[in-house]
Amino acid sequence: MTRSQHPKKEIEEAIRHAETQGWRAEQGGSHAWGRIYCPYNSNACRCGEFCITSIWSTPKNAMNHSRAIRRVVDNCAFQAKQDAGASKTLSQSP
């Protein structure tokens, strides 16, 4: 089942960015358009504090909210470890 698009294009782009990084977007919930869930959901990743992020339906400033969504996704500690390991492996190949 596919989700419907967010009405604000900036936020929709941030959600798509999260999905390309493996995050799962689910619509619904009270007082929110939906939530995004980290694929790792590890307690080592900042105590799981940022493994779930709400996506607002009508934020005061859509651009700021989209930046915040991207910041959570891009600063995922577990993802950074995975990326560092992959880059080490690539740099060691002949």
Side-chain angles (χ1 to χ4, degrees):
M1 185 167 127
T2 60
R3 64 170 179 83
S4 63
Q5 289 189 347
H6 193 281
K8 303 287 185 183
K9 70 176 183 166
E10 299 90 349
I11 297 173
E12 177 61 27
E13 290 171 4
I15 295 168
R16 287 186 182 170
H17 170 71
E19 289 173 334
T20 63
Q21 300 300 314
W23 290 61
R24 176 175 43 97
E26 287 186 6
Q27 258 185 284
S30 64
H31 306 292
W33 177 86
R35 293 178 181 217
I36 56 172
Y37 296 87
C38 178
Y40 307 108
N41 196 16
S42 168
N43 285 339
C45 182
R46 298 181 284 180
C47 304
E49 181 180 350
F50 296 100
C51 288
I52 300 173
T53 301
S54 291
I55 301 170
W56 302 338
S57 309
T58 54
K60 186 173 185 179
N61 185 321
M63 185 59 76
N64 286 345
H65 187 51
S66 68
R67 282 189 203 129
I69 294 167
R70 286 177 180 269
R71 189 169 38 251
V72 167
V73 171
D74 293 341
N75 291 333
C76 175
F78 201 79
Q79 177 67 39
K81 287 180 190 176
Q82 298 287 53
D83 291 345
S87 65
K88 268 188 192 175
T89 305
L90 290 176
S91 65
Q92 292 175 356
S93 16

